[in-house]
Every structure is written in C-alpha cells, then in structure tokens.
Amino acid sequence: MREYERMKKALIITTISGFVPQFEKNHVSLLQEKGYEVHYASNFDRPVYDHEKDFFRKNGIITHPLSIEKSPVNLLQNARAFGQLKRLLKREHFDLIHCHNPMGGALGRTAAGLYSPGSVILYTAHGFHFYKKAPWKNWLLYYPAERALARLTDILITVNEEDHERGKRFCLRRGGSVWKIPGVGVDVERFIPQEEERSRRKAEYGFPEDSFLLLSAGELNRNKNHRAVIRAVAQMKDQNIYYGICGRGSGRKSLEAWIRREGLQERVRLLGYRKDMERILPAADCFLFPSRREGFGMAAVEAMASGLALITSDCRGTREYMKDGITGFICERNRPESYAEAVQRLRDDPAGHRSMEKESRRQALCFSRQATESIMRQIYEKASEWRQQCPTEKLPL
C-alpha cells in the first residue's frame, strides 16, 4: 500500500509558468507529503513572475511545456496546447489534476474529462470573470463556459464569497463539492510590521525620509488601475506625497506617459518587479490597491500583514478583508479625487492611522499560509479517496 501511495501522480496546469513558484509552492509540498509525484504543465515562455532557474528541479517537480495562451482568441496556440495535454494525459495516467487560471481550467478540465476520466479533477477559480457589475461580454463568454466545465469538475475551489456562492449553484460531477480558501496564504512571518524602519527604508529606495509614501504592487495593466492614483497624486496640494508602484507589464509606457503628462517624474516612481516586497512595504505609510477587478488580491493582504493601512477600490476580492474605516478606506475606483480624499484623511488623523495599521495586521492573520494549508490539506485528503468512492465513466470522444 505504501509503495502504491508513493507512485501516485498529480498534475498542476496553469497558463503562466511562474504561477506555481509564486502562489502554489506550499500546495505542491502538501501533495508530495501525501505521496504524489508532482508534474507541472504550463507555458514556460510566459513566466510573468520571477523564480529561480532550478526551482522545479530543486522541488522535485516534473515539468511539461504547453503552448497555452491566456487569451481565448489565440485559437491556434490553445488548440496546440490541447493536443499536448491529450498526449500527456494518455501517457502519464494521473490520479489528480489541479487546474488554475481560466484557460488552464478550460483546456485542462476538457482534456481530463476526455482522456483521463479516472482522475480527480480540481479547479481553483482565482476570481471568475463574471461577477456583479461585470461587463456583459464577460457574462456572455465566461459564465456559460464555467457552468459547462463545472460538470467535469470534482472539486471547485474559490477565493472569495461571491464566487463561492455562485459556484455552489453549478452542477459538478457526481459527489462534487465547492470549497472556499482564504487566498493562497500569506506568510505572516515574512511580512511583519516594521514601523521603526520606515524612514530608513524610504531613503534606501530613493524617497525623502520625511515624505508620506503611497505604495502599490501589481501588474502594470488597465485592470490594476494605477492611473487613478497617479491622477490623485496630481490633485494633491501636498508636494511631500510620493507614490511608488511595484510591478511590470505591458502598460508601463502608458503609465510613464501619464506621469510625464502630470509633471510627476520626481514624485511617482515605477519600481519594477520586486522579489523583496517584505523590505519595500515597511517604507510605505499606506498601501493603495485601486483595481477594477480582483478575485482576491494577495498583494493587499501582504501589505496588511506588514501593518499598513489600506486604500482600495470596492470589488469582491477586497471585500474579503477590507473594512472601511477600520483597516483603511474604500474608494470609488474611477474617481481620483476619492483616493486623494482618503490619503488626506490618513494624513490628518495620525491616531486613527495607527489604529488602522494595527487592525490590518490582525485581520491579515486570518489569511495566513497556515489557514489556507489547513483547508487545502482537507481538500487533497478528500481528493485522495475520491475515485474509490465515486468512479466515473469515460466520456464519449
């Protein structure tokens, strides 16, 4: 029996290859603890997140390149990826297949349903593209697809309450279940409050020691909405307010143009992709998270763990942890003046600001790595026993 356990195989499928090193490393360890040989299929030409070159080898993860693309309109590449998955599934005979990201979930679950029906199929929705007040085209494109793919899913994992409630209305495979996890789990020992370091860290990253530093982190794209904060900074009369943005992406040139247009080259800086967020966050006086859409938003919870008050937009992801007037302020995402007013409120109320910082840290503990691992351990335990209890028949080809 023990020999059999050691030979079980699990496959993780994502669209971007840096996803596992960035978010799923602990879940890989859980699978390995349960005796799985872990395989990983992804587009290794689209890393997005940095990681060690030898990360997969060092962690005992067997990799398989996929031609998968994030956008569903890349039909040729995604059709090629589907063929690659078909061959992989027929060759390896996986016991468990865990899919992530919309296209990873679509191609992975479809291929698994056709060519690996004996596998337990899990899908983690890191934020459905259909949600309250989402564009109608999102509902037309993504909602029917997710509803249909749910029928190929044994375990659906969500990261926020709105998605969890909607997921429970889907019809999963016989005996299937819907779970909610508190994000991918923040390392509350890595991200800790260091208020006494604030002035020194500001100087270290090129900001005046006495400045009021706003910080954001996220991919440089339209959805992350950094432009709203840039425009807010331009509206503020206080010239000692600075703004740092950590991240990279296709929107960098556009943001640079906005910074020049507003004459903020000295006060707004693009800091690039950072691996040392635990060092940069203590430099900030508050953390801004103005996203148009978020499934959860781990960057904001890392800031909370670092003891920072938040200024965020109102979206389903931030509602998981954001308490208006308690952990920070919620703003209207498309109104720069709303962000400017929130910053000024923090500036004008030092005692209230300190109270929010303490409450942020307290709330972040609810979203710790340990809290997420506790639930994922239960999920993988259930998955390990699943096929013996609920055998499935191969779908017709």
Side-chain angles (χ1 to χ4, degrees):
M1 182 64 180
R2 288 183 179 176
E3 182 65 26
Y4 171 75
E5 289 292 327
R6 284 197 296 271
M7 295 304 294
K8 290 189 299 185
K9 293 183 180 181
L11 173 66
I12 298 173
I13 303 172
T14 73
T15 307
I16 49 178
S17 62
F19 197 85
V20 160
Q22 183 76 4
F23 299 117
E24 297 293 315
K25 184 162 58 174
N26 298 323
H27 299 171
V28 168
S29 297
L30 289 177
L31 286 168
Q32 291 171 334
E33 284 176 19
K34 297 201 70 62
Y36 285 95
E37 178 183 82
V38 178
H39 294 240
Y40 182 34
S42 188
N43 188 336
F44 294 94
D45 295 326
R46 299 282 188 275
V48 179
Y49 307 105
D50 284 343
H51 55 83
E52 296 178 50
K53 252 184 184 178
D54 295 331
F55 170 85
F56 300 111
R57 179 184 59 79
K58 287 180 179 177
N59 287 276
I61 302 170
I62 301 168
T63 57
H64 305 276
L66 277 186
S67 300
I68 190 170
E69 292 289 341
K70 188 175 180 179
S71 173
V73 302
N74 290 323
L75 299 178
L76 183 61
Q77 288 293 96
N78 286 324
R80 184 176 295 123
F82 185 83
Q84 293 164 343
L85 276 175
K86 173 185 175 180
R87 291 188 290 275
L88 175 62
L89 296 180
K90 285 190 164 186
R91 182 175 73 245
E92 295 291 346
H93 307 291
F94 294 104
D95 300 276
L96 180 151
I97 298 173
H98 194 164
C99 308
H100 299 264
N101 315 125
M103 283 309 300
L107 296 187
R109 285 182 286 175
T110 303
L114 289 168
Y115 307 112
S116 190
S119 304
V120 186
I121 303 175
L122 299 81
Y123 174 55
T124 298
H126 296 274
F128 288 135
H129 279 55
F130 46 92
Y131 49 92
K132 292 176 183 176
K133 298 184 180 179
W136 61 266
K137 64 180 181 180
N138 287 32
W139 283 93
L140 286 177
L141 177 63
Y142 292 103
Y143 180 73
E146 286 292 349
R147 193 175 179 88
L149 289 165
R151 294 180 176 275
L152 302 176
T153 310
D154 293 302
I155 298 176
L156 173 62
I157 305 166
T158 62
V159 297
N160 63 65
E161 189 59 29
E162 182 180 327
D163 288 353
H164 185 239
E165 288 301 313
R166 185 157 285 116
K168 288 194 295 187
R169 299 178 203 144
F170 290 162
C171 181
L172 274 64
R173 268 178 162 179
R174 180 162 58 90
S177 56
V178 182
W179 298 67
K180 178 187 169 187
I181 58 173
V184 295
V186 65
D187 187 344
V188 294
E189 295 176 0
R190 176 187 171 199
F191 295 94
I192 57 175
Q194 301 179 61
E195 187 177 354
E196 71 283 355
E197 288 283 300
R198 191 163 286 169
S199 295
R200 190 176 71 82
R201 294 287 174 85
K202 285 176 185 175
E204 181 180 338
Y205 293 105
F207 297 99
E209 290 187 24
D210 64 344
S211 64
F212 192 84
L213 178 59
L214 317 177
L215 190 70
S216 292
E219 190 174 351
L220 305 184
N221 59 29
R222 183 175 180 272
N223 178 59
K224 295 300 182 182
N225 204 25
H226 302 300
R227 185 183 299 181
V229 182
I230 294 172
R231 293 172 64 193
V233 173
Q235 294 177 9
M236 298 177 198
K237 294 180 181 179
D238 189 342
Q239 297 296 301
N240 205 30
I241 293 176
Y242 286 72
Y243 182 34
I245 305 172
C246 301
R248 64 185 174 196
S250 58
R252 183 182 180 97
K253 289 185 178 179
S254 174
L255 288 180
E256 288 174 337
W258 267 96
I259 293 167
R260 288 193 299 270
R261 187 176 299 128
E262 299 290 351
L264 295 172
Q265 295 94 319
E266 298 299 317
R267 294 170 55 205
V268 178
R269 293 179 52 201
L270 302 182
L271 302 173
Y273 179 79
R274 309 296 307 211
K275 295 181 179 180
D276 58 348
M277 287 304 299
E278 71 277 11
R279 289 189 57 80
I280 295 182
L281 284 167
D285 291 281
C286 69
F287 187 84
L288 283 94
F289 205 55
S291 298
R292 298 170 182 269
R293 175 185 60 81
E294 282 293 340
F296 185 76
M298 185 52 62
V301 182
E302 290 174 348
M304 292 174 72
S306 300
L308 296 184
L310 301 184
I311 296 176
T312 75
S313 61
D314 182 23
C315 57
R316 65 197 160 135
T318 59
R319 290 183 202 125
E320 294 299 302
Y321 44 80
M322 186 62 187
K323 312 294 181 186
D324 193 33
I326 298 175
T327 56
F329 297 115
I330 296 175
C331 299
E332 297 178 50
R333 66 186 183 198
N334 292 324
R335 288 186 65 242
E337 56 270 28
S338 182
Y339 293 99
E341 291 165 7
V343 171
Q344 197 59 52
R345 289 175 70 183
L346 282 181
R347 288 280 270 160
D348 293 344
D349 184 9
H353 187 182
R354 284 193 295 273
S355 175
M356 289 177 177
E357 291 177 328
K358 290 178 181 177
E359 185 61 23
S360 282
R361 171 66 182 182
R362 194 184 73 81
Q363 290 282 340
L365 298 178
C366 301
F367 302 93
S368 68
R369 181 175 62 188
Q370 291 80 1
T372 297
E373 283 184 4
S374 175
I375 300 173
M376 286 304 304
R377 196 178 295 275
Q378 295 176 54
I379 290 172
Y380 285 143
E381 183 67 40
K382 184 177 180 68
S384 293
E385 302 168 355
W386 195 267
R387 270 307 135 248
Q388 295 176 356
Q389 300 172 6
C390 302
T392 51
E393 304 232 346
K394 186 166 185 177
L395 296 177
L397 302 184

